[in-house]
Amino acid sequence: MKKLLWILNIAFLLVAGNVQAAGGHGIELEAANNNLRDQDSLQRGAILFSNYCMACHSAKYMRYNRIGRDIGWSDEEVVQKMAHGLNKVVDNVETRMVPGVAMDVLGTEPPDLSLMARLKGTDYIYSFLKGYYQNEKGAWDNHLLAGTSMPNVLEGIQRHATPEDYDQSVRDLANFLEYVGEPAKLDRLDLGWKVIAFLLVLLLLSYLLKREYWRDVKH
Ligand code: HEC
């Protein structure tokens, strides 16, 4: 019995010991506290992404139809809400920035955001978007990316919405970008629990079987 408990204990540690890579920029990140299972949040995040980010950024490893299917919109809805009906549903999520303009206007190319949440973490994205402040000269700067050429694009929301609604909007964006970074994550998480449940049942059955086999053996 002791052995069984020991094995269960290790299984538990393996599941619970969710190792997170450290950021390395030395600034405390704020937890995004987003929830991939919150479909309303993902839908709000997708609309915010279209309205506030796609002027400069793409998420080109995603197609509209996949997003629609995953977050609960029909083909017509996703194209309407994210591309104002101007794209085909099989199109990749490209930026609306005219090629070549970014370098002239911003001095750099805005990165594709498909894998940004995988690269930097959802908390980073949340903290980065909330990390804008006005320096002593009154210009916007960012605590996490000093001197960034990305403007404080959420300034309008920050100024007009309540602090709670502003936080929620940033959380919705981080949530959407986490989903975009790994569209199959929800399936993977659900599958993981099923596999572990199956293994635990198997463990119990094997243990009972072992006991049955050894019952008549004198030791
Ligand atoms: C006006 C153009 C513009 C818009 C709009 C814009 N960005 Fe950016 N973004 C940039 C540029 C340029 C960079 C590269 C910044 C740099 O290297 O200084 C960047 C970089 C980033 C990064 C990477 C930061 C890092 O640490 O490397 C993230 C994340 C990001 N943007 C998210 C967003 C999100 C989310 C939105 C929408 C809410 C958005 N951006 C809207 C221009 C834009």
Side-chain angles (χ1 to χ4, degrees), residues 6-33:
W6 203 73
I7 291 171
L8 279 177
N9 206 358
I10 290 190
F12 176 77
L13 283 178
L14 283 177
V15 176
N18 183 6
V19 183
Q20 279 274 346
H25 27 68
I27 297 175
E28 202 64 35
L29 295 184
E30 228 182 305
N33 286 328

Side-chain angles (χ1 to χ4, degrees), residues 62-105:
M62 291 298 290
R63 289 177 200 275
Y64 290 106
N65 53 2
R66 168 88 206 234
I67 296 178
R69 198 166 68 228
D70 287 344
I71 73 175
W73 281 331
S74 68
D75 284 358
E76 292 72 36
E77 277 174 320
V78 67
V79 173
Q80 205 51 48
K81 287 178 199 284
M82 289 191 71
H84 309 290
L86 295 175
N87 278 89
K88 294 201 194 68
V89 74
V90 293
D91 284 347
N92 296 72
V93 180
E94 296 286 354
T95 173
R96 295 193 197 101
M97 174 82 84
V98 178
V101 171
M103 261 325 206
D104 293 343
V105 179

Side-chain angles (χ1 to χ4, degrees), residues 30-49:
E30 228 182 305
N33 286 328
N34 60 310
N35 176 5
L36 277 179
R37 290 188 165 78
D38 183 347
Q39 195 167 70
D40 289 343
S41 163
L42 290 175
Q43 293 187 351
R44 287 192 303 266
I47 292 172
L48 287 165
F49 182 74

